[in-house]
Amino acid sequence: MAVWSARKSRRPDDAPSRRSAAPSGTPLPDASLPATTDWLVRGKDGRLTAYAPVEGAVLRWTEKHPGGPEWTGPESFPAPDIVPYLSIAQGSDGYVHLVSLRRTRLADGTPATDVVFALQYQSGLAVRDWAVVGNPYPNDPALAEKIGLPAAVIDSEGSLHVFVRNVGGGICGRASVPSGKWNKWADLKGSGITGAISASITTEGLMELVAPTQDHILRWTQETRGVKFQRAEDVPARAEAGSLSTEQTGTGRLTHFWHDADEGTVRAWRPGDKAPSPLGSGAGTGPVALLRTAVDGHDCTIMARRDAATGRPALAAYPTEDEALGATWTLTGEPCVGAPALAVDGRGRVVMAAFGTDGTLRVARQKPEPGLALEAWARV
């Protein structure tokens, strides 16, 4: 399969990646890689799309109509030599960017490692061929092989930014520009990163990065749009590697969430807090899925996670930025793999999705009644 260049691409004319129906017996995600929660996306037409990276392919399910209940898929899109891990970023234009690592070997056996991405312009349309972003060590394949999995975010101008852990345990980042070209890799410094990076953006268009270390959480922020990142106040907490996630919780404000490295319980923190706030009891695994939306007219933050004891999805909610009220976790559905995801569908209902232990997509929607009760889970 040809790889098109981000430097010379013409969006309307790019040839789409070949797609086919997935074979029977949907493969499971690779449990050795970090789970993600950004795999359920709503398009500009109101339809939800779910993505699952597997060995050699990306699987995709798409609602037939906004609000469902019927879906198409899984469709299979080729992803040769692509690590079965995706960081998914969506801009205000609705374009979905699938970002991952590609690991290959050159003719002489030298390893070649590159950040790559593929684009989907509209719900249900083909995913474009994988484009190469590169790596921070273009002249040293041995160092490039050691970079971490990418995190991605779209800025207020619609440009894609990608970030990886570098060999020094800090972060390197690279950004595209509207012409389709890419800026040089930037070394954002830092050290000691132990897990996946979380990249997010405020309502005012300022990006922020967080990453776990053994004894605290590193942060990078921007003072104004378009300027370089700077190191910011660290979060005084030990986060489970691969559990960081972030939500916009106010104008210009982000709240960071994670599972505590010692207890496995959920913690939340934002600048100005003296200490992280606990949100409910019981341990979870992986990242916390987050969704800020109105419930019965109240601004709420909804959370979903995989329960550590049972492997089942769990759901909780609380009034946004009022962590002092706490949260109560409720188990729902059958055991799942990876981490659940949250979205609002085309009818304004909260949707919780997860992959069953058999690899099938499961979906539960908010009941048409007060509160946050979910309908029975449906296999797609």
Side-chain angles (χ1 to χ4, degrees), residues 34-39 85 87-88 151-152 195-201 208-212 217-219 235 239-249 253-260 265-271 276-277 279 285-292 301-306 318 323 329 339-342:
T36 61
T37 62
D38 54 11
W39 52 267
Y85 172 91
S87 177
I88 299 177
I197 301 163
S198 175
S200 54
I201 188 168
E208 184 163 336
L209 308 174
V210 289
I217 298 171
L218 300 177
R219 292 176 60 235
V235 185
E240 175 188 310
S243 72
L244 284 165
S245 54
T246 304
E247 181 66 21
Q248 297 175 349
T249 56
R253 295 193 302 278
L254 297 170
T255 302
H256 305 291
F257 298 77
W258 64 88
H259 282 115
D260 180 76
T265 52
V266 172
R267 298 285 195 273
W269 181 93
R270 62 184 160 273
S277 299
L279 288 169
T285 66
V288 182
L290 301 165
L291 176 66
R292 183 186 176 197
T301 296
I302 302 170
M303 305 177 292
R305 68 176 183 181
R306 181 180 180 272
Y318 72 99
E323 287 83 9
W329 290 93
L342 293 168

Side-chain angles (χ1 to χ4, degrees), residues 25-199:
T26 305
L28 292 170
D30 189 335
S32 68
L33 296 170
T36 61
T37 62
D38 54 11
W39 52 267
L40 184 66
V41 177
R42 189 172 80 175
K44 294 284 280 188
D45 63 358
R47 289 189 292 163
L48 297 179
T49 301
Y51 303 87
V54 296
E55 191 67 35
V58 172
L59 305 183
R60 186 185 73 180
W61 295 255
T62 307
E63 283 185 318
K64 288 186 176 180
H65 307 284
E70 296 180 331
W71 296 67
T72 63
E75 295 175 288
S76 178
F77 293 87
D81 302 313
I82 305 294
V83 175
Y85 172 91
L86 291 176
S87 177
I88 299 177
Q90 183 182 34
S92 59
D93 54 12
Y95 296 172
V96 176
H97 299 69
L98 310 178
V99 182
S100 189
L101 281 185
R102 186 178 65 190
R103 298 189 186 279
T104 59
R105 289 195 175 272
L106 303 178
D108 62 358
T110 302
T113 305
D114 289 296
V115 176
V116 294
F117 77 99
L119 267 173
Q120 177 185 295
Y121 295 123
Q122 295 180 31
S123 302
L125 293 186
V127 175
R128 300 290 169 166
D129 283 350
W130 295 92
V132 177
V133 179
N135 68 76
Y137 309 102
N139 299 318
D140 195 329
L143 290 182
E145 191 177 21
K146 298 177 182 179
I147 64 174
L149 296 168
V153 67
I154 307 295
D155 69 17
S156 56
E157 303 299 321
S159 296
L160 174 64
H161 296 248
V162 298
F163 306 92
V164 296
R165 188 195 71 245
N166 58 36
V167 296
I171 291 179
C172 285
R174 196 176 195 189
S176 65
V177 294
S179 66
K181 295 183 179 180
W182 287 83
N183 292 330
K184 295 181 179 179
W185 284 94
D187 185 354
L188 307 186
K189 308 301 181 181
S191 63
I193 292 175
T194 58
I197 301 163
S198 175

